[in-house]
């Protein structure tokens, strides 16, 4: 649904997936990404905080969290989490065009 540009339908599917498997890091990451595309930054932040605990060593999580903080206008938190993403993966490239970290 997300690839078909139906973010609300994708959000419903990711929410359902998380009801079935609450510890699914992939479903939570994709749900947070859809929430951010809908500019629902506070909801995305909740998902990303849980995800940060599920995958504390994943640079992509911190990159998306930095983008979320940026969307919320929390510049200092944004810079801090982007720095964490870079420290976790020195090869990380921050790409603004698709909102995904390319490693």
């Amino acid at each position: 649904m997300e690839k078909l540009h139906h973010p609300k339908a994708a959000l419903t599917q990711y929410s359902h997936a998380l009801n079935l498997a609450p510890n699914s890091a992939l479903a939570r990451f994709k749900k947070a990404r859809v929430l951010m595309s809908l500019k629902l930054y506070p909801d995305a932040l909740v998902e990303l905080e849980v995800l940060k605990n599920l995958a504390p060593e994943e640079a992509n999580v911190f990159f998306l969290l930095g983008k979320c903080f940026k969307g919320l206008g929390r510049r200092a938190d944004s810079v801090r989490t982007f720095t964490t993403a870079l420290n976790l993966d020195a090869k990380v490239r921050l790409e603004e065009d698709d909102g995904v970290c390319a490693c």
Side-chain angles (χ1 to χ4, degrees), residues 25 29 47-68 81 85 88 101:
F29 182 83
E47 295 297 330
L48 289 166
E49 290 294 340
V50 172
L51 187 57
K52 184 172 73 169
N53 293 325
L54 289 174
E57 299 293 318
E58 183 57 50
N60 291 326
V61 171
F62 286 92
F63 174 74
L64 196 59
L65 185 58
K67 290 196 60 102
C68 185
T81 54
L88 286 172
C101 181

Side-chain angles (χ1 to χ4, degrees), residues 8 17 27 32 38 45 48-49 52 54 57-58 66 69 71 74 90 97-98:
K8 290 183 182 179
L38 294 170
L45 181 60
L48 289 166
E49 290 294 340
K52 184 172 73 169
L54 289 174
E57 299 293 318
E58 183 57 50
F69 283 137
R74 294 171 54 179
D97 58 330
D98 62 0

Side-chain angles (χ1 to χ4, degrees), residues 5 43 66 96:
H5 304 289
D43 295 332
E96 289 292 329

Side-chain angles (χ1 to χ4, degrees), residues 7 11 24 29 34-35 46 51 53 62 64 66 73 81 84 89-90 100:
L11 183 58
S24 171
F29 182 83
V34 169
L35 286 166
V46 170
L51 187 57
N53 293 325
F62 286 92
L64 196 59
T81 54
T84 301
D89 188 349
V100 176

